[in-house]
Amino acid sequence: LPQDMSVGVITFYAAQRDCIFEELAGLGISEKGDGGWRVRPEHAANSQCAERLRIGTVDAFQGKEFDVVVLSVVRSNPLPLGLLDAADNAEAYEKSASRKYGHLRTSNRLNVAMSRQRRLLVAVGDQVMFSGKAACQAVPEMNAFLELCQQEAHHVSA
């Protein structure tokens, strides 16, 4: 990583954040102290970047920008989600959609998570979760983002 480049690693869940920190501890990049996990000082900042590496949940990134952001949208589950018809119970649908997608249905959190990069956003997740009509209805922003990425990939490969 160039010395003047900053990286943010964003996740929607504290357990995923802690798992990322644990993996990076094995590489000597993070450590756990009395106050919880942190990026080791020699990796956190340098003279070219006040904050070179940040790992956290979406809330820790409000008002921050990084050259590269790795966004963890790895929520993945087999919970069924039917399409909502006018005759269906809207409350039951909302509960089911929230159980399947969690925080990924919260527009303001998605906006923060997907707008912190200056140069590159890398989203890591289960493509199937955001594909199809049910995903288009339950998480329209993530479905549109996936479709945009697929269109861009098609243009690059063509």
Side-chain angles (χ1 to χ4, degrees), residues 43-92:
H43 298 288
N46 63 29
S47 60
Q48 287 88 13
C49 291
E51 185 170 27
R52 188 161 184 247
L53 176 60
R54 175 179 285 243
I55 301 158
T57 59
V58 175
D59 299 332
F61 284 83
Q62 185 71 41
K64 305 276 186 195
E65 282 189 337
F66 293 83
D67 295 309
V68 176
V69 168
V70 177
L71 176 60
S72 171
V73 287
V74 296
R75 186 176 184 103
S76 183
N77 62 60
L79 295 173
L81 181 66
L83 293 176
L84 178 62
D85 294 322
D88 287 344
N89 182 333
E91 185 178 327

Tab-separated table of all heavy atoms in Angstrom, residues 43-92:
chain	number	residue	atom	x	y	z
A	43	HIS	N	0.569	1.281	11.825
A	43	HIS	CA	-0.266	1.092	10.635
A	43	HIS	C	-1.414	2.099	10.575
A	43	HIS	O	-2.047	2.252	9.524
A	43	HIS	CB	-0.852	-0.323	10.603
A	43	HIS	CG	0.196	-1.376	10.534
A	43	HIS	ND1	0.937	-1.616	9.406
A	43	HIS	CD2	0.636	-2.259	11.469
A	43	HIS	CE1	1.786	-2.596	9.636
A	43	HIS	NE2	1.627	-3.005	10.884
A	44	ALA	N	-1.692	2.763	11.672
A	44	ALA	CA	-2.855	3.646	11.758
A	44	ALA	C	-2.646	4.986	11.062
A	44	ALA	O	-3.576	5.533	10.480
A	44	ALA	CB	-3.224	3.881	13.224
A	45	ALA	N	-1.447	5.521	11.100
A	45	ALA	CA	-1.187	6.854	10.535
A	45	ALA	C	0.286	6.967	10.181
A	45	ALA	O	1.111	6.174	10.623
A	45	ALA	CB	-1.575	7.929	11.540
A	46	ASN	N	0.589	7.952	9.354
A	46	ASN	CA	1.984	8.299	9.065
A	46	ASN	C	2.032	9.768	8.657
A	46	ASN	O	1.010	10.452	8.680
A	46	ASN	CB	2.590	7.368	7.999
A	46	ASN	CG	1.907	7.464	6.656
A	46	ASN	OD1	1.374	8.498	6.281
A	46	ASN	ND2	1.915	6.369	5.923
A	47	SER	N	3.180	10.259	8.265
A	47	SER	CA	3.306	11.687	7.956
A	47	SER	C	2.500	12.096	6.725
A	47	SER	O	2.095	13.241	6.605
A	47	SER	CB	4.782	12.062	7.773
A	47	SER	OG	5.342	11.314	6.708
A	48	GLN	N	2.215	11.146	5.824
A	48	GLN	CA	1.426	11.473	4.626
A	48	GLN	C	-0.077	11.358	4.865
A	48	GLN	O	-0.864	12.001	4.183
A	48	GLN	CB	1.799	10.543	3.450
A	48	GLN	CG	3.140	10.830	2.836
A	48	GLN	CD	4.261	10.061	3.539
A	48	GLN	OE1	4.022	9.144	4.312
A	48	GLN	NE2	5.479	10.476	3.281
A	49	CYS	N	-0.504	10.516	5.793
A	49	CYS	CA	-1.936	10.291	6.070
A	49	CYS	C	-2.190	10.384	7.565
A	49	CYS	O	-1.637	9.606	8.334
A	49	CYS	CB	-2.373	8.903	5.599
A	49	CYS	SG	-2.404	8.675	3.836
A	50	ALA	N	-3.047	11.321	7.952
A	50	ALA	CA	-3.387	11.441	9.368
A	50	ALA	C	-4.047	10.162	9.869
A	50	ALA	O	-3.790	9.728	10.982
A	50	ALA	CB	-4.310	12.631	9.585
A	51	GLU	N	-4.882	9.572	9.045
A	51	GLU	CA	-5.491	8.290	9.386
A	51	GLU	C	-5.352	7.398	8.163
A	51	GLU	O	-6.018	7.578	7.162
A	51	GLU	CB	-6.959	8.442	9.774
A	51	GLU	CG	-7.562	7.143	10.251
A	51	GLU	CD	-8.945	7.308	10.861
A	51	GLU	OE1	-9.651	8.253	10.498
A	51	GLU	OE2	-9.306	6.463	11.696
A	52	ARG	N	-4.473	6.448	8.265
A	52	ARG	CA	-4.142	5.593	7.125
A	52	ARG	C	-5.032	4.360	7.038
A	52	ARG	O	-5.336	3.878	5.954
A	52	ARG	CB	-2.681	5.163	7.229
A	52	ARG	CG	-2.186	4.447	6.012
A	52	ARG	CD	-0.682	4.467	5.975
A	52	ARG	NE	-0.264	3.851	4.737
A	52	ARG	CZ	0.386	2.707	4.652
A	52	ARG	NH1	0.710	2.058	5.746
A	52	ARG	NH2	0.726	2.218	3.492
A	53	LEU	N	-5.453	3.825	8.176
A	53	LEU	CA	-6.271	2.624	8.202
A	53	LEU	C	-7.288	2.718	9.332
A	53	LEU	O	-6.928	2.990	10.475
A	53	LEU	CB	-5.403	1.381	8.406
A	53	LEU	CG	-6.113	0.037	8.541
A	53	LEU	CD1	-6.933	-0.294	7.288
A	53	LEU	CD2	-5.099	-1.067	8.818
A	54	ARG	N	-8.555	2.508	8.985
A	54	ARG	CA	-9.629	2.460	9.982
A	54	ARG	C	-10.473	1.236	9.675
A	54	ARG	O	-10.793	0.965	8.523
A	54	ARG	CB	-10.501	3.706	9.928
A	54	ARG	CG	-11.700	3.624	10.874
A	54	ARG	CD	-12.540	4.875	10.819
A	54	ARG	NE	-11.855	5.931	11.539
A	54	ARG	CZ	-12.332	6.524	12.629
A	54	ARG	NH1	-13.497	6.171	13.127
A	54	ARG	NH2	-11.662	7.467	13.223
A	55	ILE	N	-10.839	0.528	10.721
A	55	ILE	CA	-11.692	-0.652	10.608
A	55	ILE	C	-12.826	-0.444	11.592
A	55	ILE	O	-12.585	-0.172	12.772
A	55	ILE	CB	-10.924	-1.939	10.963
A	55	ILE	CG1	-9.728	-2.105	10.033
A	55	ILE	CG2	-11.841	-3.155	10.905
A	55	ILE	CD1	-8.636	-2.981	10.578
A	56	GLY	N	-14.054	-0.547	11.109
A	56	GLY	CA	-15.150	-0.348	12.032
A	56	GLY	C	-16.511	-0.528	11.407
A	56	GLY	O	-16.644	-0.836	10.226
A	57	THR	N	-17.518	-0.318	12.248
A	57	THR	CA	-18.884	-0.364	11.757
A	57	THR	C	-19.192	0.963	11.072
A	57	THR	O	-18.429	1.927	11.182
A	57	THR	CB	-19.877	-0.614	12.905
A	57	THR	OG1	-19.746	0.433	13.859
A	57	THR	CG2	-19.652	-1.968	13.554
A	58	VAL	N	-20.298	1.004	10.378
A	58	VAL	CA	-20.672	2.178	9.598
A	58	VAL	C	-20.625	3.446	10.435
A	58	VAL	O	-20.142	4.482	9.984
A	58	VAL	CB	-22.080	1.978	8.989
A	58	VAL	CG1	-22.544	3.227	8.264
A	58	VAL	CG2	-22.097	0.787	8.061
A	59	ASP	N	-21.097	3.388	11.666
A	59	ASP	CA	-21.162	4.566	12.524
A	59	ASP	C	-19.798	5.212	12.741
A	59	ASP	O	-19.709	6.422	12.912
A	59	ASP	CB	-21.786	4.209	13.873
A	59	ASP	CG	-23.208	3.687	13.716
A	59	ASP	OD1	-23.886	4.059	12.746
A	59	ASP	OD2	-23.625	2.876	14.562
A	60	ALA	N	-18.726	4.434	12.701
A	60	ALA	CA	-17.375	4.969	12.912
A	60	ALA	C	-16.861	5.738	11.698
A	60	ALA	O	-15.800	6.349	11.766
A	60	ALA	CB	-16.412	3.825	13.238
A	61	PHE	N	-17.613	5.737	10.599
A	61	PHE	CA	-17.156	6.365	9.365
A	61	PHE	C	-17.921	7.626	9.000
A	61	PHE	O	-17.626	8.252	7.989
A	61	PHE	CB	-17.225	5.353	8.208
A	61	PHE	CG	-16.116	4.354	8.272
A	61	PHE	CD1	-16.225	3.244	9.078
A	61	PHE	CD2	-14.955	4.535	7.548
A	61	PHE	CE1	-15.191	2.318	9.166
A	61	PHE	CE2	-13.913	3.630	7.625
A	61	PHE	CZ	-14.038	2.516	8.437
A	62	GLN	N	-18.880	8.010	9.814
A	62	GLN	CA	-19.647	9.221	9.552
A	62	GLN	C	-18.690	10.410	9.453
A	62	GLN	O	-17.882	10.638	10.339
A	62	GLN	CB	-20.658	9.453	10.674
A	62	GLN	CG	-21.588	10.617	10.439
A	62	GLN	CD	-22.608	10.361	9.354
A	62	GLN	OE1	-23.169	9.279	9.262
A	62	GLN	NE2	-22.829	11.342	8.521
A	63	GLY	N	-18.738	11.140	8.345
A	63	GLY	CA	-17.900	12.313	8.155
A	63	GLY	C	-16.461	12.016	7.762
A	63	GLY	O	-15.661	12.930	7.639
A	64	LYS	N	-16.097	10.755	7.560
A	64	LYS	CA	-14.727	10.368	7.193
A	64	LYS	C	-14.673	9.997	5.716
A	64	LYS	O	-15.672	9.593	5.129
A	64	LYS	CB	-14.278	9.151	8.003
A	64	LYS	CG	-14.386	9.299	9.487
A	64	LYS	CD	-13.198	9.996	10.017
A	64	LYS	CE	-13.247	9.997	11.550
A	64	LYS	NZ	-12.321	10.938	12.097
A	65	GLU	N	-13.487	10.128	5.115
A	65	GLU	CA	-13.240	9.669	3.758
A	65	GLU	C	-11.904	8.958	3.702
A	65	GLU	O	-10.973	9.324	4.429
A	65	GLU	CB	-13.215	10.835	2.761
A	65	GLU	CG	-14.554	11.358	2.373
A	65	GLU	CD	-14.470	12.344	1.224
A	65	GLU	OE1	-13.392	12.956	1.006
A	65	GLU	OE2	-15.485	12.510	0.523
A	66	PHE	N	-11.821	7.966	2.818
A	66	PHE	CA	-10.592	7.201	2.611
A	66	PHE	C	-10.401	7.016	1.110
A	66	PHE	O	-11.370	7.036	0.344
A	66	PHE	CB	-10.684	5.848	3.323
A	66	PHE	CG	-10.714	5.988	4.815
A	66	PHE	CD1	-11.903	6.262	5.476
A	66	PHE	CD2	-9.548	5.889	5.559
A	66	PHE	CE1	-11.929	6.437	6.847
A	66	PHE	CE2	-9.573	6.058	6.933
A	66	PHE	CZ	-10.767	6.330	7.581
A	67	ASP	N	-9.156	6.848	0.707
A	67	ASP	CA	-8.897	6.626	-0.717
A	67	ASP	C	-9.592	5.361	-1.191
A	67	ASP	O	-10.250	5.341	-2.227
A	67	ASP	CB	-7.389	6.529	-0.986
A	67	ASP	CG	-6.684	7.843	-0.690
A	67	ASP	OD1	-7.141	8.878	-1.203
A	67	ASP	OD2	-5.695	7.826	0.069
A	68	VAL	N	-9.432	4.287	-0.431
A	68	VAL	CA	-10.023	2.993	-0.765
A	68	VAL	C	-10.893	2.550	0.405
A	68	VAL	O	-10.476	2.652	1.555
A	68	VAL	CB	-8.930	1.933	-1.028
A	68	VAL	CG1	-9.542	0.565	-1.273
A	68	VAL	CG2	-8.039	2.352	-2.190
A	69	VAL	N	-12.084	2.070	0.080
A	69	VAL	CA	-12.961	1.505	1.105
A	69	VAL	C	-13.298	0.077	0.704
A	69	VAL	O	-13.699	-0.189	-0.430
A	69	VAL	CB	-14.250	2.331	1.274
A	69	VAL	CG1	-15.272	1.585	2.125
A	69	VAL	CG2	-13.943	3.681	1.902
A	70	VAL	N	-13.122	-0.828	1.652
A	70	VAL	CA	-13.575	-2.207	1.508
A	70	VAL	C	-14.836	-2.310	2.356
A	70	VAL	O	-14.794	-2.109	3.562
A	70	VAL	CB	-12.504	-3.217	1.973
A	70	VAL	CG1	-13.039	-4.639	1.866
A	70	VAL	CG2	-11.223	-3.047	1.171
A	71	LEU	N	-15.950	-2.582	1.684
A	71	LEU	CA	-17.247	-2.646	2.349
A	71	LEU	C	-17.682	-4.092	2.471
A	71	LEU	O	-17.854	-4.789	1.477
A	71	LEU	CB	-18.284	-1.849	1.556
A	71	LEU	CG	-19.718	-1.898	2.063
A	71	LEU	CD1	-19.821	-1.359	3.490
A	71	LEU	CD2	-20.614	-1.115	1.123
A	72	SER	N	-17.855	-4.538	3.709
A	72	SER	CA	-18.296	-5.896	3.974
A	72	SER	C	-19.816	-5.935	4.020
A	72	SER	O	-20.424	-5.419	4.953
A	72	SER	CB	-17.709	-6.382	5.299
A	72	SER	OG	-18.291	-7.615	5.656
A	73	VAL	N	-20.415	-6.535	3.000
A	73	VAL	CA	-21.860	-6.746	2.975
A	73	VAL	C	-22.108	-8.253	2.925
A	73	VAL	O	-22.873	-8.761	2.130
A	73	VAL	CB	-22.548	-6.017	1.792
A	73	VAL	CG1	-22.604	-4.536	2.034
A	73	VAL	CG2	-21.867	-6.315	0.478
A	74	VAL	N	-21.408	-8.948	3.805
A	74	VAL	CA	-21.384	-10.411	3.746
A	74	VAL	C	-22.546	-11.075	4.460
A	74	VAL	O	-22.514	-12.267	4.693
A	74	VAL	CB	-20.038	-10.984	4.264
A	74	VAL	CG1	-18.899	-10.545	3.384
A	74	VAL	CG2	-19.790	-10.587	5.705
A	75	ARG	N	-23.573	-10.337	4.779
A	75	ARG	CA	-24.764	-10.976	5.345
A	75	ARG	C	-25.263	-11.983	4.315
A	75	ARG	O	-25.455	-11.657	3.147
A	75	ARG	CB	-25.832	-9.936	5.639
A	75	ARG	CG	-27.022	-10.530	6.364
A	75	ARG	CD	-28.017	-9.431	6.729
A	75	ARG	NE	-29.113	-9.972	7.490
A	75	ARG	CZ	-29.262	-9.847	8.801
A	75	ARG	NH1	-28.344	-9.209	9.491
A	75	ARG	NH2	-30.288	-10.357	9.413
A	76	SER	N	-25.459	-13.194	4.742
A	76	SER	CA	-25.878	-14.253	3.826
A	76	SER	C	-26.697	-15.265	4.602
A	76	SER	O	-26.268	-15.747	5.639
A	76	SER	CB	-24.643	-14.927	3.221
A	76	SER	OG	-25.020	-15.909	2.291
A	77	ASN	N	-27.898	-15.537	4.088
A	77	ASN	CA	-28.741	-16.522	4.745
A	77	ASN	C	-29.757	-17.072	3.764
A	77	ASN	O	-30.069	-16.442	2.766
A	77	ASN	CB	-29.414	-15.924	5.988
A	77	ASN	CG	-30.329	-14.778	5.648
A	77	ASN	OD1	-31.283	-14.931	4.897
A	77	ASN	ND2	-30.041	-13.608	6.203
A	78	PRO	N	-30.281	-18.235	4.053
A	78	PRO	CA	-31.248	-18.866	3.150
A	78	PRO	C	-32.704	-18.510	3.469
A	78	PRO	O	-33.609	-19.127	2.919
A	78	PRO	CB	-30.993	-20.362	3.383
A	78	PRO	CG	-30.616	-20.425	4.833
A	78	PRO	CD	-29.810	-19.160	5.079
A	79	LEU	N	-32.930	-17.527	4.328
A	79	LEU	CA	-34.302	-17.191	4.696
A	79	LEU	C	-35.112	-16.823	3.455
A	79	LEU	O	-34.668	-16.024	2.637
A	79	LEU	CB	-34.321	-16.016	5.682
A	79	LEU	CG	-33.695	-16.260	7.043
A	79	LEU	CD1	-33.645	-14.967	7.839
A	79	LEU	CD2	-34.460	-17.321	7.801
A	80	PRO	N	-36.292	-17.382	3.317
A	80	PRO	CA	-37.110	-17.070	2.144
A	80	PRO	C	-37.706	-15.674	2.257
A	80	PRO	O	-37.926	-15.161	3.348
A	80	PRO	CB	-38.216	-18.139	2.185
A	80	PRO	CG	-38.341	-18.480	3.629
A	80	PRO	CD	-36.947	-18.341	4.203
A	81	LEU	N	-37.940	-15.063	1.121
A	81	LEU	CA	-38.569	-13.746	1.088
A	81	LEU	C	-39.427	-13.681	-0.160
A	81	LEU	O	-38.920	-13.627	-1.269
A	81	LEU	CB	-37.514	-12.639	1.070
A	81	LEU	CG	-38.038	-11.217	1.068
A	81	LEU	CD1	-38.752	-10.919	2.385
A	81	LEU	CD2	-36.905	-10.236	0.872
A	82	GLY	N	-40.735	-13.712	0.025
A	82	GLY	CA	-41.637	-13.636	-1.114
A	82	GLY	C	-41.871	-12.193	-1.518
A	82	GLY	O	-41.634	-11.266	-0.759
A	83	LEU	N	-42.345	-12.015	-2.715
A	83	LEU	CA	-42.685	-10.674	-3.184
A	83	LEU	C	-43.956	-10.206	-2.487
A	83	LEU	O	-44.839	-10.995	-2.166
A	83	LEU	CB	-42.887	-10.682	-4.694
A	83	LEU	CG	-41.641	-10.962	-5.509
A	83	LEU	CD1	-42.002	-11.037	-6.991
A	83	LEU	CD2	-40.596	-9.899	-5.282
A	84	LEU	N	-44.052	-8.918	-2.281
A	84	LEU	CA	-45.205	-8.345	-1.606
A	84	LEU	C	-46.288	-8.018	-2.633
A	84	LEU	O	-46.072	-7.235	-3.545
A	84	LEU	CB	-44.793	-7.079	-0.855
A	84	LEU	CG	-45.872	-6.317	-0.119
A	84	LEU	CD1	-46.466	-7.199	0.967
A	84	LEU	CD2	-45.303	-5.056	0.470
A	85	ASP	N	-47.436	-8.628	-2.483
A	85	ASP	CA	-48.596	-8.306	-3.303
A	85	ASP	C	-49.497	-7.394	-2.492
A	85	ASP	O	-49.395	-7.333	-1.262
A	85	ASP	CB	-49.356	-9.582	-3.680
A	85	ASP	CG	-48.535	-10.473	-4.600
A	85	ASP	OD1	-47.829	-9.934	-5.472
A	85	ASP	OD2	-48.592	-11.706	-4.425
A	86	ALA	N	-50.390	-6.712	-3.173
A	86	ALA	CA	-51.286	-5.777	-2.492
A	86	ALA	C	-52.104	-6.472	-1.403
A	86	ALA	O	-52.424	-5.876	-0.384
A	86	ALA	CB	-52.208	-5.114	-3.506
A	87	ALA	N	-52.415	-7.747	-1.613
A	87	ALA	CA	-53.235	-8.477	-0.643
A	87	ALA	C	-52.418	-9.034	0.522
A	87	ALA	O	-52.981	-9.497	1.507
A	87	ALA	CB	-53.966	-9.619	-1.354
A	88	ASP	N	-51.097	-9.004	0.424
A	88	ASP	CA	-50.248	-9.555	1.481
A	88	ASP	C	-50.222	-8.641	2.705
A	88	ASP	O	-50.570	-7.472	2.645
A	88	ASP	CB	-48.808	-9.741	0.986
A	88	ASP	CG	-48.670	-10.913	0.028
A	88	ASP	OD1	-49.591	-11.742	-0.019
A	88	ASP	OD2	-47.643	-10.968	-0.653
A	89	ASN	N	-49.761	-9.163	3.807
A	89	ASN	CA	-49.617	-8.421	5.048
A	89	ASN	C	-48.300	-7.648	5.010
A	89	ASN	O	-47.217	-8.237	5.113
A	89	ASN	CB	-49.661	-9.401	6.217
A	89	ASN	CG	-49.564	-8.716	7.550
A	89	ASN	OD1	-48.992	-7.633	7.680
A	89	ASN	ND2	-50.118	-9.361	8.555
A	90	ALA	N	-48.373	-6.338	4.858
A	90	ALA	CA	-47.178	-5.494	4.722
A	90	ALA	C	-46.306	-5.569	5.973
A	90	ALA	O	-45.076	-5.582	5.868
A	90	ALA	CB	-47.580	-4.054	4.443
A	91	GLU	N	-46.901	-5.629	7.133
A	91	GLU	CA	-46.131	-5.696	8.381
A	91	GLU	C	-45.322	-6.990	8.451
A	91	GLU	O	-44.150	-6.982	8.829
A	91	GLU	CB	-47.066	-5.584	9.581
A	91	GLU	CG	-46.333	-5.520	10.911
A	91	GLU	CD	-47.295	-5.348	12.082
A	91	GLU	OE1	-48.336	-4.688	11.933
A	91	GLU	OE2	-46.958	-5.891	13.163
A	92	ALA	N	-45.947	-8.106	8.069
A	92	ALA	CA	-45.246	-9.399	8.070
A	92	ALA	C	-44.110	-9.388	7.056
A	92	ALA	O	-43.026	-9.911	7.321
A	92	ALA	CB	-46.218	-10.536	7.770
